[in-house]
């Protein structure tokens, strides 16, 4: 069976379309399950086929409920695609949580083995057998870099959970600089506290998101049921549902529901450093590259408001990809609406509203940007909290340098990455100027505490400079838990407020309003005849 799956994987890799199909799945499988080529291929195809089968199932269920009516084919197709994305997002969340649980259990065994051997490397190897199967794959990569100064090569392409970075840093520093005053155990304990805090957050979020997809998709699935009920009550409604106005109402309901699905799926995302195979493939096209280059050079797009938002707040995102996504939304909307207009044989003058509607649809990518903006400060503080945990662990090691702490921070972060990289480049020229520049960039955030300690370390040493942060470890741990609680409550409030809105809008627009309009019209006709 596995050989068969691997053969399918190799066949897909031979063509551009095949690579497009498996690209994102292969990337995420490689992130969480860093197998060799055979294992990667088998697990990629297995996950891909599982998600496709789930999509086909929900697509078939939607069509069966619709009684095979072609009117609802697009709605069933949208549900199938949404099911694929939802299954993929839940798989990633499951892997992330599974990895954290295994790491937490492994740290217990590592602590015990360290007390036994008194050596970081020996304890690491002795505790290896107690790790879960998935974590062993990562520990195998980490072991190769244990005596070095960097991170496994795989992690530079697709990084796993950030706590693994902190774990690598703690182990490498313990081996390189030794372990005075049981600092290694203290750092492991602090790391485990934060992992357990994250696991609690994951459990709560999984409970919140468990029924979101089905609650929203209920709006599309029940549309044929609404039609059958309304027609059974008022026979004249059959003309409405089979006509142009019914088709238009159906499309509007599907689009609104689709936007809500995108909105809630976006809230489930773990991180923003994944790949988009379609956009990456388009970027490789020389003609598209020329157009983008012209737009950025002659239209000044790199100085626009949106570009500045990307550069300042979302440096991990690609503004070029964002522009391409807008183009895709415009042209795909234009094509679909034009075919729909052709089916109903509408006037050629409809091309103007079609272009206008397509232009509005091109703003769909802004949905993701709005959600990122809603949670930007919380996500930034979460990243800073994890950076603080790592820098406290590193600063407690005798012999640590400012540059080494910044290098680990660069490898570790997404939002802070670009500014930290610029700071590292300027360190050799003027360390004070470089750190002052980093300070001015993040002066309105709690990251400034870490930067101030790095600046002070030039005069009093790293260990002494970070003494205040070290003494307040419990405070920062409690603060991080409180911030996580606020994020979960915010998501819970948004979901509880808007979860059933698509269904209510669909019921109102697709069943109640047409039912009332036709009923009132019939009543007026009867009244006129009687008079």
């Amino acid at each position: 069976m596995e050989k068969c799956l691997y053969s399918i994987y190799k066949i897909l890799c031979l063509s551009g379309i095949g690579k497009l199909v498996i690209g994102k799945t292969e990337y995420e499988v490689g992130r969480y399950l860093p197998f060799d080529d055979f294992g990667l291929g088998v697990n990629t195809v297995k996950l891909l086929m599982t998600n496709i089968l789930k999509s086909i199932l929900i697509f078939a269920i939607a069509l069966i409920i619709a009684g095979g009516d072609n009117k609802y084919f697009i709605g069933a197709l949208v549900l199938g695609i949404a099911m694929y994305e939802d299954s993929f997002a839940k798989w990633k969340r499951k892997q992330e949580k599974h990895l954290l649980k295994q790491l937490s259990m492994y740290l217990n065994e590592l602590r015990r083995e360290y007390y036994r051997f008194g050596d970081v490397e020996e304890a690491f190897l002795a505790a290896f057998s107690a790790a879960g199967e998935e974590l062993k794959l990562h520990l195998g990569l980490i072991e190769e870099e244990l005596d070095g100064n960097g991170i496994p090569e795989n992690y530079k392409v697709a990084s796993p959970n950030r706590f693994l970075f902190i774990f690598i840093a703690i182990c490498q520093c313990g081996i390189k600089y030794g372990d005075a005053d049981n600092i290694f155990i203290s750092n492991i304990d602090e790391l485990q506290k934060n992992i357990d805090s994250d696991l609690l957050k994951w459990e709560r979020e999984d409970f919140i998101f468990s029924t979101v997809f089905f609650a929203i998709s209920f709006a599309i699935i029940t549309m044929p049921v609404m039609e059958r009920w309304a027609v059974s009550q008022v026979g004249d409604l059959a003309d409405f549902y089979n006509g142009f106005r019914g088709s238009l109402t159906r499309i509007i309901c599907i689009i609104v529901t689709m936007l809500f699905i995108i909105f809630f799926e976006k809230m489930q995302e773990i991180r923003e450093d994944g790949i988009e195979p379609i956009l990456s493939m388009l970027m490789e096209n020389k003609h598209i590259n020329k157009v983008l280059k012209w737009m950025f050079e002659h239209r000044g797009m790199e100085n626009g408001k949106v570009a500045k938002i990307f550069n300042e707040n979302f440096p991990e995102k690609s503004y070029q990809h964002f522009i391409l996504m807008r183009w895709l939304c415009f042209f795909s909307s234009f094509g679909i609406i034009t075919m729909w207009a052709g089916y109903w044989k509408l006037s050629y003058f409809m091309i103007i509203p079609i272009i206008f509607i397509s232009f509005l649809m091109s703003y769909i990518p802004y949905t993701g940007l709005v959600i990122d903006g809603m949670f930007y400060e919380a996500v930034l503080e979460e990243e800073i909290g994890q950076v603080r945990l790592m820098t406290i662990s590193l600063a407690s090691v005798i012999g640590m340098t400012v540059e080494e702490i910044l290098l680990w921070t660069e490898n570790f972060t997404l939002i802070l990455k670009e500014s930290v990289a610029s700071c590292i480049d300027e360190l050799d020229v003027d360390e004070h100027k470089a750190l002052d520049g980093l300070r001015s960039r993040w002066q309105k955030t709690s990251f400034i505490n870490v930067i101030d300690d790095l600046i002070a370390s030039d005069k009093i040493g790293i260990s002494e400079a970070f003494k205040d942060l070290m003494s307040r470890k419990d405070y920062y741990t409690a603060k991080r838990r409180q911030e996580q609680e606020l994020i979960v409550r915010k998501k819970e409030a948004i979901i509880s407020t808007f979860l059933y809105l698509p269904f209510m809008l669909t019921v109102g627009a697709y069943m109640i309003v047409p039912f009332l309009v036709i009923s009132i019209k019939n009543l007026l006709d009867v009244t006129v005849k009687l008079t």
Side-chain angles (χ1 to χ4, degrees), residues 194-208:
N194 281 268
I195 289 173
D196 291 341
S197 175
D198 265 36
L199 281 172
L200 185 62
K201 185 194 82 168
W202 283 99
E203 293 289 350
R204 287 198 60 188
E205 284 194 352
D206 284 348
F207 177 76
I208 293 170

Side-chain angles (χ1 to χ4, degrees), residues 100 161-167 191 194-195 198 386 480:
L100 282 180
N161 188 277
R162 285 173 179 165
F163 286 119
L164 277 174
F165 275 90
I166 301 176
F167 176 66
L191 176 62
N194 281 268
I195 289 173
D198 265 36
Q386 291 183 328
R480 184 165 175 268

Side-chain angles (χ1 to χ4, degrees), residues 283-317:
M283 284 289 290
E284 292 172 5
N285 185 285
K286 61 180 181 180
H287 302 295
I288 291 175
N289 258 317
K290 281 183 181 179
V291 174
L292 280 173
K293 188 177 180 182
W294 178 83
M295 290 177 71
F296 276 80
E297 287 180 356
H298 299 283
R299 298 290 301 277
M301 289 188 70
E302 72 278 7
N303 299 319
K305 289 182 179 179
V306 179
K308 287 179 180 178
I309 290 172
F310 271 87
N311 291 333
E312 292 176 9
N313 301 321
F314 307 109
E316 78 282 2
K317 293 176 180 290

Side-chain angles (χ1 to χ4, degrees), residues 31 34 59 113 121 169 180 265 331 354 362 399 433 452 462 519:
R31 180 204 297 277
F59 172 78
E113 295 296 344
E121 195 165 6
E265 289 297 327
F331 288 115
I354 287 172
S362 73
K433 186 179 178 182
D452 285 342
I462 285 181
S519 298

Side-chain angles (χ1 to χ4, degrees), residues 32-34 94-110 127-139 164 167 192 195-196 199:
Y32 293 109
L33 305 170
K94 181 183 175 183
Q95 293 300 319
E96 187 95 3
K97 190 168 67 173
H98 202 49
L99 194 61
L100 282 180
K101 284 181 178 178
Q102 291 186 5
L103 182 58
S104 181
M105 291 173 66
Y106 173 77
L107 292 179
N108 286 328
E109 188 67 19
L110 180 66
F128 191 90
S129 59
E133 292 302 316
E134 290 82 1
L135 183 60
K136 280 181 181 177
L137 296 169
H138 292 279
L139 294 179
L164 277 174
F167 176 66
Q192 191 169 26
I195 289 173
D196 291 341
L199 281 172

Side-chain angles (χ1 to χ4, degrees), residues 408-427:
W408 275 108
T409 304
E410 182 192 6
N411 285 328
F412 179 81
T413 54
L414 287 175
I415 300 174
L416 305 174
K417 191 183 192 75
E418 198 170 288
S419 56
V420 172
S422 300
C423 178
I424 292 170
D425 292 338
E426 297 170 11
L427 275 180

Side-chain angles (χ1 to χ4, degrees), residues 118-157:
D119 180 81
V120 175
E121 195 165 6
E122 284 190 33
F124 178 91
L125 296 172
F128 191 90
S129 59
E133 292 302 316
E134 290 82 1
L135 183 60
K136 280 181 181 177
L137 296 169
H138 292 279
L139 294 179
L141 297 175
I142 294 169
E143 185 186 357
E144 295 173 5
E145 301 292 333
L146 216 52
D147 295 325
N149 296 310
I151 58 173
E153 196 64 34
N154 288 40
Y155 292 1
K156 294 176 183 177
V157 180

Side-chain angles (χ1 to χ4, degrees), residues 9 21 69 71 130 181 280 312 332 407 418 434 447 449 488:
Y9 169 75
V21 170
D69 194 335
K71 296 198 300 283
D181 302 324
S280 300
E312 292 176 9
S332 57
L407 283 169
E418 198 170 288
F447 188 46
N449 297 330
V488 173

